[in-house]
Amino acid sequence: MTDARRPGADEATFIAAVRAEDPARFALLTERHRRELQVHCYRMLANYEDAQDMTQETFLRAWNKRESFKGHAALRTWLYRIATNACLDFLEKRNDRTPVPSGLPDPGSELPYLQPYPDWMLPEDPQESVVARETIELAFIVAVQHLPPRQRAAFILRDVLGWPASKAADALQLTVASVTSALQRARVTMRERLPDRRLDWRSPATHELSNDERGVVKSYIDAHERNDLDGLVSLLRDDLRFAMLPDPGTVIVTAEDAVDGWVSNGLFQRGYDDWRCVTTTVNRMPTAVLYLRTPDDPAYRLFTIAVLHIVDGKIAELTGFDAADKPWLGLPPTL
């Protein structure tokens, strides 16, 4: 259950580096896979910092297991196998990495450990690295977290990365029948969690924002900077789903309740009414970066980001993240 192939140049060079105990060449050959491995770990864990840690753990394990690499599988495949099992080991030790009920009448849940993924850290060649927009968006990442860990791994390896069943089974140390069964169960859950989304994850998918999305995020920023609540409300779907992470208990499922909550918490009132905003993307989604200037501070300081899921010209989901404690987003701290 390995790749039916002869070792390529990378594999031969890697084996030579292992035999020579050459850590510099080892690092050079493995480092080129860092970004795609980190995205893989992020899909498994939904947390950027944990994904960073597990990617580093992958390279450490690869070095410690270097003698086991014989070139029968591609180097990339071997690293993905190690990364997948590092994530499974991480999940086995943690009891705080599963969704929790939202406490609302809808069947939704909260993911307090969810973090945004900066687009600048995505692999430079998304086609080669299989980072289609739909498999990095927040809704997909959240839906995947509802799968038990080994189902999750089987689903990502088979339906996202497109691995054959035999290769996925080898990576997970399962039988092909077990992987096939896990994948079937995972697909059912994903259809329930993403009922309106395309489910053929291996087909080509767009990577760019639409003109409609760009227009809505621009209008959102304009309304925010003008403290125009009516303008903001006009951009929201009535059944808006809003969450502010990592704060627990912040999920709201109507536009009216969301706006009432913003106002009751002081937004758009004195001290929280001098905004400057810029556009960016995280998770390949339109995002507004909000900077706030308070009366006793001359600078606009990084406050939050608002990640928007836009449907038919309206904001259907708004996920806010505290941005000040996330330097890896690459955002300037002040304007």
Side-chain angles (χ1 to χ4, degrees), residues 96-110:
D96 62 342
R97 286 297 185 266
T98 55
V100 296
S102 65
L104 297 172
D106 79 319
S109 57
E110 292 188 80

Side-chain angles (χ1 to χ4, degrees), residues 14 17 22-33 59 63:
F14 184 83
D22 186 344
R25 184 173 293 184
F26 175 94
L28 183 66
L29 289 166
T30 54
E31 184 66 25
R32 67 183 62 173
H33 299 285
F59 291 140
W63 175 254

Side-chain angles (χ1 to χ4, degrees), residues 104-106 232-233 235-243 250-262 315-318:
L104 297 172
D106 79 319
L232 279 175
V233 170
L235 296 169
L236 308 177
R237 281 177 47 144
D238 291 341
D239 59 349
L240 170 81
R241 185 173 182 85
F242 166 76
T250 60
V251 174
I252 295 173
V253 290
T254 72
E256 182 179 358
D257 287 347
V259 173
D260 287 347
W262 298 340
I315 298 171
E317 297 172 23
L318 193 162

